[in-house]
Amino acid sequence: MKSLILKEIDELIFGSLGIIIFISFFIGAVITIQTALNLTNPIIPKYLIGFTARQSLILEFSPTFVSIVMAGKVGSYITSSIGSMRVTEQIDALDVMGVNALNYLVFPKIIAMLFYPFAIAISMFVGISGGWIAGVFGGFLTSADFVEGLQLDFSPFQVTYAFIKTLVFAFVLATVPSYHGFYMKGGALEVGKASTTAFVWTSVVIIVSNYILTQLLLGQ
Amino acid sequence: MIEVNDIHKSFDDAHILKGITTSFQKGKTNLIIGQSGSGKTVFLKCLLGLFTPEEGTISYDGKIYNDLTDAEKRDLRQEMGMVFQGSALFDSMSVEGNVKFPLEMFTKQSKSEMQDRADFVLKRVNLVDAHHKFPSEISGGMQKRVAIARAIVMNPKYLFCDEPNSGLDPKTAIVIDNLIKEITEEYDITTIINTHDMNSVMEIGEKILFLKDGLKAWEGTNKEIFKTDNETVTDFVYSSDLFKKVRQMYIEERN
Ligand SMILES: Nc1ncnc2c1ncn2[C@@H]1O[C@H](COP(=O)(O)OP(=O)(O)OP(=O)(O)O)[C@@H](O)[C@H]1O
Ligand SMILES: [Mg+2]
C-alpha cells in the first residue's frame, strides 16, 4: 500500500507541478498587467495592483482555476487508468482474487491528493512572483508598491479559506474521476468518453462546491 | 468438485441462464462450449462468484456458496484461479510482479519464498526469461502463460479459464491446452474452461457442457461428442465442412 501511495504522489502531485508552475506564473503576470492597465486614475494608489494580484491568486485562481485545469490533467489520468483496467478485466481479476478493487485503486489516490494543497501553495507563490516580475520589470509599479499591496489588509482567514477549498477540491479530483473509471462499461472508445464525462462532472462539482463553500465560509 | 443446481441469471429483463444443472469433477478438464452469446462467460462468472445467480445453488466440494459467511467466501476466493479471456494482466506490473501479486496480498511469505514460488510457476508454464518484461512487451501466447502462472501461484483448488487460447495460433493453442491439462492432473484441480476451439474439445474435453440459449443442450465426453446424434451439438461442433468430413470418415471407419 505504501509504495502505491508513493507512486500516486509521484504521478498526481509531482507530475502536475510543471503545468501548475507554468500557468500560475503567466496568469499571475497577466493579472498584474491587466490591473495596472485598468487603474489609470492617478488618485488610485499603485499598491492596489499588488493587492489585486494577491487576492485573485490566493482566493480564486490558485485553488479553483488550477483545480479545473487539474480536472483535465489528473482527472483524465485517473479515469482512463482505472477505466482501462475495467475494460481489460483487470478489475475483475482483482475481484476474483478477493482484493477489494475499489479500495485498492482509489484509496491511494485519495491519500496522495492530501498533498495537493502543497501544489496549490506553490501555485500561489509562483503566481505572485510572476505578478511581481511582470509588474516591476514591465515598469507598471515599483517593487515596494507591489509588496505594500501584498501586505495590505491581510487576513489569515482568507488563506485558511483557500486551503479548505483546496482540500475539498482535492477530494473531488480523486473521487469523481475514479467513480467514472470504475463504473464504466464498454471498450477503449468508452474509456475516452468516460474521461470527458469525468472532466465535465469534476469541473461542475468544483464550481458548485466553490460557490457553496464561499457562501458558507465568507458570507455573512 | 463443483456442483451446480438449477441456476438462473438475468440482467434487467434479459434472462441469460435459464436453469443449468451440472457438475465438474476434480482433476479433470471440464469444457463449456456454445455459440457466442450463449452465456458461457456469464456462467463462468457465476461460478467465480462475480455474479450472483437469482436462483439455484453452486457448491464447491460440498460447501454451498450462498450459505458461506463473507469471511468464508473470501477464503474460497483464494482457492480459485482465473485466466481471463484477454489475460487481464496488470499492465503496471512486470511479469514477475503479476505472478507475485496474489502472494503479496494474501500470504505472509518472505521475499525469497515469494521469489522461489514465482520462479517455480513461471518455469512450470515454460517462461524462463521474461521475468522483468511488462505485459505490453510480450506476445499474446506468453501473456496467456503469465495469466496461467498467476492463476496457479496460490495453489488453487479450482481453475477457471475463459477462452484461454482465443487469438493464438493453432500450435500455441495446443501448447496452452496441454499445459492446462497437465497442471489440472498434476495438482488435482477442478478446471473449467470456456472455449470456441474444436481442437480443444477433441484434445482435452474430458467433460463437455454444451450451452445453447442459456440452457444445457448436451453434456458428455470428447469420445461421446464424436458419436452423438444430437443435432444441435453436431450442427455446432461440425459446422465446418472439414469437420463434417472427418466425422463421416470416423463413423465409416467404425462400421
Ligand atoms: N454484465 C452484463 N450486463 C448485461 N448483460 C450481459 C452482461 N454480461 C453478459 N450479458 C449478456 O449475456 C449474454 C451472454 O453473454 P456471454 O458473455 O456469457 O456470452 P459468451 O457465451 O461468453 O459469448 P462469447 O463466446 O462471445 O464470449 C449476452 O447477450 C450479453 O449481452
Ligand atoms: Mg465469453
Side-chain angles (χ1 to χ4, degrees):
Chain A
M1 209 43 144
K2 210 172 109 196
S3 67
L4 280 177
I5 294 172
L6 291 177
K7 208 177 125 244
E8 297 294 358
I9 291 176
D10 188 44
E11 183 70 44
L12 301 177
I13 306 295
F14 288 105
S16 305
L17 283 182
I19 178 89
I20 290 181
I21 288 172
F22 178 80
I23 55 175
S24 302
F25 181 87
F26 286 100
I27 292 285
V30 169
I31 288 174
T32 304
I33 296 173
Q34 291 282 18
T35 315
L37 293 177
N38 285 290
L39 291 183
T40 44
N41 190 331
I43 307 172
I44 301 177
K46 288 277 188 213
Y47 61 70
L48 277 185
I49 297 170
F51 175 77
T52 308
R54 182 196 84 201
Q55 291 298 81
S56 36
L57 284 162
I58 291 184
L59 294 179
E60 291 305 329
F61 173 77
S62 290
T64 313
F65 187 82
V66 169
S67 294
I68 302 286
V69 174
M70 287 300 106
K73 185 181 182 296
V74 167
S76 64
Y77 160 76
I78 292 179
T79 308
S80 59
S81 65
I82 296 182
S84 67
M85 290 187 72
R86 168 63 76 197
V87 302
T88 55
E89 294 183 306
Q90 293 176 50
I91 292 182
D92 286 336
L94 289 170
D95 283 339
V96 170
M97 289 174 192
V99 176
N100 182 335
L102 190 63
N103 197 25
Y104 177 80
L105 294 172
V106 180
F107 181 71
K109 295 185 171 63
I110 295 179
I111 299 299
M113 287 303 278
L114 289 177
F115 291 88
Y116 182 60
F118 291 105
I120 294 306
I122 293 173
S123 161
M124 292 171 178
F125 177 78
V126 172
I128 290 172
S129 311
W132 180 81
I133 290 172
V136 173
F137 292 93
F140 295 103
L141 76 175
T142 64
S143 176
D145 277 345
F146 191 87
V147 173
E148 186 183 348
L150 288 184
Q151 293 165 336
L152 185 74
D153 275 342
F154 183 76
S155 140
F157 182 70
Q158 290 183 343
V159 178
T160 313
Y161 152 81
F163 280 105
I164 290 173
K165 286 210 302 200
T166 303
L167 264 181
V168 172
F169 298 161
F171 185 74
V172 171
L173 283 169
T175 51
V176 174
S178 294
Y179 173 87
H180 281 91
F182 198 84
Y183 291 107
M184 66 156 293
K185 291 196 170 74
L189 186 64
E190 281 77 11
V191 175
K193 285 187 190 152
S195 302
T196 316
T197 320
F199 169 69
V200 172
W201 277 108
T202 310
S203 312
V204 168
V205 174
I206 287 175
I207 297 285
V208 172
S209 53
N210 184 37
Y211 167 73
I212 295 171
L213 285 170
T214 306
Q215 177 64 39
L216 284 178
L217 295 171
L218 299 183
Q220 304 306 320
Chain B
M1 168 151 153
I2 299 181
E3 287 159 296
V4 180
N5 188 12
D6 195 29
I7 60 165
H8 289 257
K9 176 72 195 165
S10 310
F11 295 102
D12 303 324
D13 48 359
H15 201 173
I16 307 294
L17 303 181
K18 301 169 184 160
I20 297 177
T21 302
T22 188
S23 65
F24 303 104
Q25 301 292 329
K26 207 173 171 182
K28 294 247 153 59
T29 42
N30 301 277
L31 265 52
I32 302 173
I33 60 172
Q35 255 179 18
S36 197
S38 56
K40 299 184 299 291
T41 300
V42 172
F43 183 63
L44 204 64
K45 287 189 173 172
C46 287
L47 296 181
L48 277 160
L50 286 179
F51 289 154
T52 322
E54 291 92 37
E55 269 179 61
T57 56
I58 304 174
S59 75
Y60 303 83
D61 292 309
K63 288 178 277 185
I64 297 175
Y65 189 79
N66 285 339
D67 296 349
L68 302 178
T69 63
D70 284 350
E72 287 168 332
K73 282 181 187 164
R74 232 175 293 128
D75 291 344
L76 179 65
R77 281 278 173 86
Q78 283 168 35
E79 296 178 339
M80 297 179 178
M82 169 78 182
V83 178
F84 283 87
Q85 195 160 343
S87 296
L89 299 178
F90 302 123
D91 34 38
S92 59
M93 298 176 198
S94 67
V95 163
E96 194 179 279
N98 266 280
V99 175
K100 282 183 187 168
F101 181 80
L103 300 174
E104 282 164 358
M105 295 300 284
F106 298 110
T107 69
K108 296 203 164 56
Q109 294 183 2
S110 69
K111 279 224 155 56
S112 69
E113 282 170 321
M114 285 190 222
Q115 188 64 49
D116 290 348
R117 180 71 189 153
D119 289 344
F120 175 80
V121 289
L122 282 171
K123 189 147 174 267
R124 185 65 195 79
V125 299
N126 306 320
L127 273 182
V128 278
D129 45 26
H131 283 54
H132 300 292
K133 293 210 169 98
F134 281 83
S136 58
E137 299 168 342
I138 59 178
S139 70
M142 288 162 92
Q143 289 177 2
K144 282 279 152 63
R145 289 178 212 220
V146 178
I148 295 172
R150 185 177 71 181
I152 62 171
V153 74
M154 296 278 282
N155 265 324
K157 279 193 187 160
Y158 315 98
L159 179 64
F160 303 91
C161 310
D162 198 357
E163 304 191 18
N165 46 26
S166 68
L168 300 179
D169 64 83
K171 223 171 159 179
T172 314
I174 290 175
V175 172
I176 297 286
D177 278 346
N178 288 334
L179 178 63
I180 294 174
K181 185 159 193 287
E182 280 164 32
I183 288 170
T184 300
E185 285 167 4
E186 207 172 310
Y187 305 108
D188 208 16
I189 303 173
T190 306
T191 298
I192 301 171
I193 305 167
N194 273 359
T195 187
H196 276 143
D197 186 351
M198 289 310 135
N199 263 326
S200 313
V201 172
M202 301 307 173
E203 290 284 330
I204 60 165
E206 293 179 288
K207 155 146 194 177
I208 300 158
L209 171 69
F210 176 51
L211 294 187
K212 187 163 196 277
D213 302 328
L215 284 167
K216 175 171 86 180
W218 186 84
E219 67 184 333
T221 66
N222 52 358
K223 299 200 176 64
E224 288 163 353
I225 210 166
F226 251 123
K227 303 174 202 158
T228 182
D229 295 321
N230 183 321
E231 266 185 37
T232 36
V233 181
T234 48
D235 270 3
F236 177 72
V237 177
Y238 306 103
S239 49
S240 79
D241 286 344
L242 176 65
F243 272 128
K244 279 192 188 113
K245 278 184 196 140
V246 172
R247 177 161 190 262
Q248 204 55 45
M249 279 161 64
Y250 178 82
I251 290 171
E252 278 165 17
E253 204 174 283
R254 262 195 320 166
N255 293 337

